[in-house]
């Protein structure tokens, strides 16, 4: 069992909860460091910077996938439709050249800028910047003419001052066992979300809505999958067409089980292969030895284009937000944009 899979079971499966108690001393130490660090930023002991453009951070308090990147893309595209020039910044996790800001394009190398950065560039016709220094990335976004900076992840990157925080949580997994790293999945205590302007529950189409007990305003974002697109030809097929005959599925994301469960909800029973989050993917990883179709997430697909053939299919994730909840989200954006840079 990989370390990633062990951690997922430790944090989210009730039968392993007792085992996480062994890591509680380390969690207490981690919690102390997290608390002191945040207080240091609030007191001005650690310097933080405000950039000229309004900044909205879309992040999470848990480790692993919660659906924040699809929400960032939805919001960026909605801004464009409303005439607002938004730029997306991200940390370029896993990239080898992200010490300074890089404007990412569809031809950028995921090895250099990270897989999520290339995914963002493929899905958003606007400015995408990767840099481990979010302040430098946000300033670069302003230089590129952005009216608004959307920060994909970076909730704990307190050196960048922000005008609004949107915290995203997977409704099915919530806070896991509710413990801090390494005993649990929390980067900060769950009560941290009460300081955010909005809490977003991501819910798969086949799941029930999650009710929130936090003080933060909250909305629900539903995600679904319906089709697959060939990496080699661009052909689009309904997922139902893959029910006939053997099919494989591969995922190197924060919550691979969610992707596999969504395929299952579509009536598919693929042979699955799990890779670590952000793992490099070569032709070997996608070779199941039989030539049958291989379904994968968009995030994984950007790393497979160099050796794409007729076996490989990406499965886009659709985002649905009710009109009522869109209005709530848009009020957060408007309030952030109406703040003076000097505030």
């Amino acid at each position: 069992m990989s370390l990633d899979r062990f951690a997922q079971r430790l944090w989210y499966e009730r039968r392993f909860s007792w085992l996480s108690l062994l890591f509680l001393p380390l969690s207490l130490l981690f919690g102390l460091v997290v608390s002191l660090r945040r207080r240091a930023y609030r007191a001005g002991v650690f310097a933080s910077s405000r950039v000229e453009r309004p900044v909205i951070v879309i992040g999470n308090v848990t480790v692993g996938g919660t659906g924040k990147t699809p929400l960032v893309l939805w919001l960026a595209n909605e801004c464009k439709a409303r005439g607002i020039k938004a730029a997306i910044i991200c940390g370029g996790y896993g990239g080898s050249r992200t010490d300074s800001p890089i404007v990412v394009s569809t031809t950028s190398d995921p090895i250099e800028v990270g897989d999520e950065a290339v995914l963002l560039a493929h899905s958003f016709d606007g400015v995408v910047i990767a840099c481990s220094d979010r302040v430098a990335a946000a300033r670069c976004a302003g230089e590129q003419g952005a009216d608004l900076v959307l920060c994909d992840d970076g909730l704990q990157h307190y050196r960048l001052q922000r005008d609004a925080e949107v915290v995203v949580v997977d409704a099915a997994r919530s806070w896991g066992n509710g413990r801090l790293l390494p005993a649990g999945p929390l980067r900060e205590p769950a009560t941290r979300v009460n300081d955010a302007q909005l809490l977003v529950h991501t819910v798969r189409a086949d799941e029930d809505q999650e009710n929130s007990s936090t003080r933060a305003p909250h909305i629900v974002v539903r995600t679904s999958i319906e089709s697959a697109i060939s990496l080699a030809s661009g052909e689009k097929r309904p997922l139902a067409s893959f029910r006939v005959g053997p099919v494989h599925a591969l995922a190197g994301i924060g919550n691979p089980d969610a992707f596999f469960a969504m395929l299952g909800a579509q009536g598919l029973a693929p042979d699955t292969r799990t890779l670590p989050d952000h793992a490099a993917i070569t032709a070997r990883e996608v070779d199941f030895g039989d030539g049958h179709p291989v379904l994968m997430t968009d995030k994984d697909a950007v790393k497979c284009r160099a050796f794409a053939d007729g076996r490989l299919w990406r499965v886009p994730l659709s985002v649905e937000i009710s009109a009522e909840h869109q209005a709530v989200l848009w009020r957060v954006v408007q309030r952030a944009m109406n703040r003076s840079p000097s505030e």
Side-chain angles (χ1 to χ4, degrees):
M1 182 188 300
S2 69
L3 182 60
D4 274 6
R5 298 299 289 173
F6 172 75
Q8 296 294 322
R9 291 188 173 186
L10 184 73
W11 298 339
Y12 293 107
E13 294 185 23
R14 188 179 298 274
R15 57 180 173 154
F16 290 105
S17 183
W18 64 271
L19 188 57
S20 70
L21 296 175
L22 299 176
F23 298 92
L24 272 182
L26 292 175
S27 292
L28 293 173
L29 179 60
F30 179 78
L32 177 62
V33 172
V34 165
S35 177
L36 291 176
R37 178 176 175 269
R38 192 169 185 218
R39 290 183 182 183
Y41 272 107
R42 284 183 165 180
V45 177
F46 293 163
S48 61
S49 299
R50 176 173 289 281
V51 298
E52 293 184 356
R53 300 295 187 269
V55 174
I56 299 177
V57 172
I58 298 96
N60 50 23
V61 297
T62 57
V63 173
T66 58
K68 59 181 172 46
T69 296
L71 177 63
V72 170
L73 286 168
W74 184 94
L75 188 53
N77 285 303
E78 181 68 14
C79 284
K80 184 174 182 179
R82 294 176 182 239
I84 297 172
K85 189 174 181 181
I88 302 175
I89 66 172
C90 63
Y93 184 85
S96 61
R97 293 185 54 205
T98 56
D99 290 340
S100 58
I102 298 177
V103 179
V104 184
S105 71
T106 55
T107 60
S108 295
D109 188 344
I111 295 176
E112 295 183 348
V113 300
D115 49 15
E116 286 184 343
V118 180
L119 167 61
L120 290 166
H122 273 280
S123 305
F124 174 55
D125 184 17
V127 175
V128 176
I129 298 167
C131 184
S132 56
D133 183 343
R134 301 301 207 290
V135 175
R139 286 173 176 157
C140 181
E143 294 167 0
Q144 294 290 320
D147 301 319
L148 172 67
V149 178
L150 301 177
C151 182
D152 183 357
D153 209 354
L155 189 68
Q156 291 78 31
H157 198 94
Y158 291 119
R159 202 164 69 80
L160 174 63
Q161 294 184 26
R162 64 288 309 265
D163 299 287
E165 292 180 334
V166 176
V167 177
V168 186
V169 60
D170 181 336
R173 301 202 301 177
S174 190
W175 316 122
N177 61 18
R179 297 176 181 134
L180 290 167
L181 289 167
L186 295 179
R187 300 174 177 178
E188 297 182 274
T191 53
R192 168 71 174 84
V193 303
N194 293 325
D195 295 330
Q197 280 65 50
L198 186 64
L199 175 65
V200 175
H201 291 284
T202 54
V203 181
R204 298 197 303 271
D206 57 312
E207 295 175 334
D208 293 329
Q209 179 173 324
E210 173 79 1
N211 293 319
S212 175
S213 60
T214 67
R215 295 195 302 270
H218 61 277
I219 65 172
V220 172
V221 171
R222 292 195 174 274
T223 58
S224 62
I225 54 175
E226 299 175 352
S227 60
I229 301 172
S230 170
L231 268 65
S233 67
E235 175 192 358
K236 186 175 183 179
R237 286 172 52 182
L239 283 173
S241 68
F242 291 91
R243 295 173 187 167
V244 180
V247 64
H248 305 287
L250 176 144
I253 57 177
N255 183 8
D257 290 339
F259 176 59
F260 300 146
M262 294 177 84
L263 292 175
Q266 290 288 327
L268 277 64
D271 173 30
T272 62
R273 178 173 294 173
T274 301
L275 301 175
D277 193 14
H278 301 287
I281 300 178
T282 66
R284 180 178 180 178
E285 277 76 37
V286 300
D287 185 6
F288 286 78
D290 53 20
H292 294 303
V294 180
L295 304 176
M296 64 185 68
T297 68
D298 273 338
K299 179 177 168 181
D300 295 313
V302 299
K303 295 177 282 190
C304 300
R305 297 183 186 277
F307 48 86
D309 57 33
R311 297 169 302 145
L312 307 185
W313 298 77
R314 65 181 180 90
V315 182
L317 188 70
S318 299
V319 170
E320 179 184 346
I321 308 176
S322 70
E324 177 186 359
H325 286 183
Q326 285 187 38
V328 174
L329 177 57
W330 197 250
R331 282 196 293 272
V332 172
V333 175
Q334 289 178 315
R335 284 196 293 267
M337 294 195 67
N338 288 336
R339 290 189 184 180
S340 167
S342 61
E343 286 187 281

